[in-house]
Amino acid sequence: MTAAMVESDQGSEGRPWEYLLRTWQELDVPEGWRAEIDEGQIVLVSPPHAHHNGIAEMVQRLLYRGLPDALGIYRTLGVHVAPLDKLYVPDLVVMPTELIAAADPEASDPMDASEALLIVEITSRGNAREDRTKKYRAYARAGVPMYVLIDRFDTRGAMTTLFTEPNEDGTYKRSDAVPFGKPLPLPEPFDVTLLTDGFPG
């Protein structure tokens, strides 16, 4: 993961978030890369390994089995964590389709993370710590009801964890973790079980 040379600039307006967001919207990011806003700077995230993409595809296919028609699963969708002025591009985001349809077609504004029902992050070797700490806290602060962390580099071995019941202090009250190979049930509105036995390590 590489940090771009774009940092918060107070400027004459004194509004660093607006400056960073405008810059993010105007970036010409190389294909496969993602641009995120974190800690007052724009960060470029390199394309993930094929195994990373394989896991994302498997999870997306499983989620669709129990997904209500009013919800969609989105990849490369920017979400704004308003309480922290952060912008992330999760591996998968489940969000009401009506919000996506209502988005301004002329603007590349991120969606509000608080509107997501589920966010999935899959760790890469270079960003595992961010997914476990910064993004965990950010999604909890945003009130995302379910955060699934698929961590291939956990020191206990490859693990999949479902975090639920977010707190405003940036923590989740509940976590359910299983090693790769064990099933992980997801509650309503999904009512499906993530079958992790096929996840590549």
Side-chain angles (χ1 to χ4, degrees):
M1 184 166 62
T2 319
M5 300 302 291
V6 180
E7 296 189 358
S8 173
D9 181 1
Q10 297 290 333
S12 58
E13 301 176 33
R15 296 190 291 187
W17 168 253
E18 286 80 0
Y19 168 78
L20 284 170
L21 178 60
R22 188 168 62 251
T23 304
W24 178 84
Q25 291 168 328
E26 295 171 355
L27 278 179
D28 184 13
V29 181
E31 186 174 355
W33 288 65
R34 293 178 290 175
E36 301 183 328
I37 300 176
D38 194 7
E39 306 297 336
Q41 65 180 5
I42 294 178
V43 178
L44 294 181
V45 183
S46 58
H49 188 277
H51 287 175
H52 185 121
N53 284 315
I55 292 173
E57 191 276 333
M58 292 175 66
V59 173
Q60 188 168 15
R61 186 178 300 184
L62 286 166
L63 287 175
Y64 268 127
R65 292 181 183 176
L67 201 69
D69 291 340
L71 299 177
I73 304 170
Y74 304 97
R75 299 176 77 167
T76 68
L77 179 68
V79 295
H80 176 208
V81 180
L84 302 174
D85 273 344
K86 294 176 183 283
L87 190 159
Y88 293 129
V89 183
D91 290 299
L92 297 172
V93 181
V94 176
M95 188 167 283
T97 53
E98 64 179 4
L99 296 179
I100 301 298
D104 185 348
E106 301 300 322
S108 57
D109 295 333
M111 305 301 293
D112 192 328
S114 67
E115 302 285 359
L117 278 76
L118 169 69
I119 285 180
V120 177
E121 293 283 11
I122 303 161
T123 61
S124 296
R125 194 174 298 279
N127 74 351
R129 184 174 180 182
E130 283 78 8
D131 290 347
R132 296 172 194 148
T133 56
K134 289 182 181 180
K135 293 185 178 182
Y136 165 87
R137 290 192 294 266
Y139 297 146
R141 281 289 302 276
V144 177
M146 289 181 245
Y147 173 40
V148 171
L149 176 62
I150 300 173
D151 193 347
R152 298 180 294 149
F153 305 100
D154 192 300
T155 56
R156 301 168 292 176
M159 303 286 290
T160 302
T161 305
L162 169 64
F163 298 99
T164 54
E165 301 179 34
N167 281 318
E168 289 184 2
D169 66 358
T171 62
Y172 282 92
K173 293 180 183 178
R174 179 169 179 171
S175 65
D176 298 288
V178 299
F180 277 24
K182 299 290 184 181
L184 179 63
L186 298 184
E188 293 183 353
F190 304 102
D191 284 331
V192 296
T193 298
L194 289 184
L195 305 175
T196 70
D197 54 329
F199 288 178

